[in-house]
Amino acid sequence: MALRSPLINVMVDAAKKASRGLVRDFGEVEQLQVSVKGPADFVSVADRKAEQVIRAELMKARPRYGYLMEEQGEHVGEDTSNRWLVDPLDGTTNFLHGIPQFAISICLERDSQPFAGVIYDPVRDEMFFAEQGKGAYMNERRIRVAGREHLDNAVIATGIPHRGRPGRDGYVPGLSAMMDVTAGIRRFGAAALDLAWVAAGRFDGFWERGLKSWDLAAGVVLVREAGGHVTEIEGGEAMLTSGSILAANPIIHAAMTDVLRKHPV
C-alpha cells in the first residue's frame, strides 16, 4: 500500500473534489451532442469551475505558494520556491465530444523543477501520483515504465498538431518514420494521461511539441519516478518552457531520439 505524503494528500484531495463536478458535467455534455451549436460554452464553464475548486483547495492547504493555471493565469506567492501548475481539464476536445479520455493534472514545481505530480482520470477512477525520490503509483499500486527494448514491438503515443497549431509540415515526416519502425502509434488527445500511461507501462513512449507547462509537468515527475527518461525531443531539459517532450524507458528513449533526430522541425 502506498504511503502518501501530506503534500500528495493535498493534491489528491483537490483533484478528487474537482472531479465530482467534471463527471457530472461530462454526463450533461454527452446529452448536448444533439445541439447544432454544440456544448463548447458549457465545457468552458465546467473547466473554470474545476479550476476554481482546485485553486481553493490548494490555497487553503498551502496559502503561501504561487500558481500557474490554464484559466486563471499566474499568481506569484510569498513562497517563491513553490508553485502549483494546474490543468483542470486536460483533453478538453475529448470532453467536448463526449469521449471519456480526459484528466485533471496538478504539479508542484519546486525551485523551477517538477517535484510532485498528480494526474487523475475520473472516468476510470485512476489516480496517478508521484513525488521526487518516492516512486510512482496508480491508486495504491507501484508502477514502472515498460521494459521493452525494441521499437518494433513498442506502442508509442503522440500528439498531432491540429488546426491553428504550427509545426504540422515538420511533424509528418517524423510521424511517418516512427510508424515504419514501431508496433503502433496512438493519438488519444490528452497529454497528461499519455504520460501517466507511459509511467504505468501501458505506452512504451510518448512525444509531442507545443505543449504548455501545465500539460506535462505532473507527467514528467511520474515518468521519472517510474524509472523512465524524460527530455525535450531535441535532448534538452527545458520541457516546461519549450513544450517539447520525449518520454520512455532509457532504451526506447534513445531509439526514439535516433528516429526523430533525422526529422528535425
Side-chain angles (χ1 to χ4, degrees):
M1 181 175 179
L3 183 62
R4 299 191 311 214
S5 70
L7 174 63
I8 291 293
N9 282 332
V10 165
M11 300 164 74
V12 165
D13 290 347
K16 285 220 166 188
K17 190 167 184 178
S19 74
R20 297 171 197 153
L22 280 183
V23 170
R24 181 181 61 248
D25 290 340
F26 183 65
E28 295 293 326
V29 166
E30 290 182 296
Q31 301 305 314
L32 289 173
Q33 298 311 311
V34 296
S35 168
V36 174
K37 183 178 179 181
D41 291 342
F42 182 87
V43 172
S44 179
V45 171
D47 201 336
R48 290 195 300 270
K49 285 192 300 184
E51 188 172 275
Q52 288 165 2
V53 170
I54 293 168
R55 178 185 177 278
E57 291 298 303
L58 297 179
M59 297 306 290
K60 181 171 65 176
R62 300 289 192 275
R64 299 179 65 247
Y65 289 9
Y67 60 76
L68 177 62
M69 301 188 179
E70 184 176 18
E71 301 297 332
Q72 298 189 36
E74 184 173 14
H75 167 73
V76 178
E78 295 176 33
D79 181 345
T80 55
S81 293
N82 291 288
R83 182 172 72 155
W84 301 110
L85 302 175
V86 176
D87 189 346
L89 179 54
D90 180 63
T92 305
T93 301
N94 287 342
F95 191 101
L96 177 70
H97 288 268
I99 300 169
Q101 184 76 4
F102 58 90
I104 294 168
S105 179
I106 304 172
C107 177
L108 178 67
E109 180 187 62
R110 179 163 290 172
D111 297 325
S112 301
Q113 295 297 318
F115 179 80
V118 161
I119 297 171
Y120 184 47
D121 177 346
V123 174
R124 297 178 182 86
D125 191 25
E126 291 184 338
M127 180 70 71
F128 301 88
F129 62 92
E131 187 174 351
Q132 192 175 98
K134 296 184 178 180
Y137 296 84
M138 192 276 285
N139 294 340
E140 301 303 322
R141 179 174 61 86
R142 184 77 180 262
I143 55 176
R144 299 284 296 179
V145 294
R148 294 182 184 87
E149 298 183 351
H150 303 285
L151 284 177
D152 60 6
N153 65 355
V155 173
I156 306 296
T158 188
I160 300 172
H162 52 74
R163 185 183 65 178
R165 287 181 60 179
R168 183 176 63 182
D169 291 343
Y171 171 82
V172 170
L175 172 63
S176 179
M178 198 69 79
M179 291 169 66
D180 286 341
V181 296
T182 59
I185 303 292
R186 302 289 183 266
R187 201 287 194 206
F188 278 12
L193 266 185
D194 288 340
L195 287 164
W197 285 21
V198 171
R202 296 173 180 174
F203 290 141
D204 296 289
F206 170 74
W207 92 96
E208 188 169 354
R209 290 184 172 88
L211 294 170
K212 300 295 185 182
S213 59
W214 51 74
D215 294 323
L216 54 84
V220 169
V221 186
L222 275 159
V223 174
R224 285 175 172 169
E225 288 299 311
H229 188 43
V230 188
T231 65
E232 296 173 277
I233 295 169
E234 299 74 18
E237 298 291 333
M239 295 84 66
L240 298 195
T241 51
S242 70
S244 167
I245 189 167
L246 196 163
N249 74 39
I251 295 173
I252 294 294
H253 185 284
M256 291 177 65
T257 299
D258 287 344
V259 173
L260 295 172
R261 185 181 290 139
K262 298 172 185 175
H263 304 281
V265 174

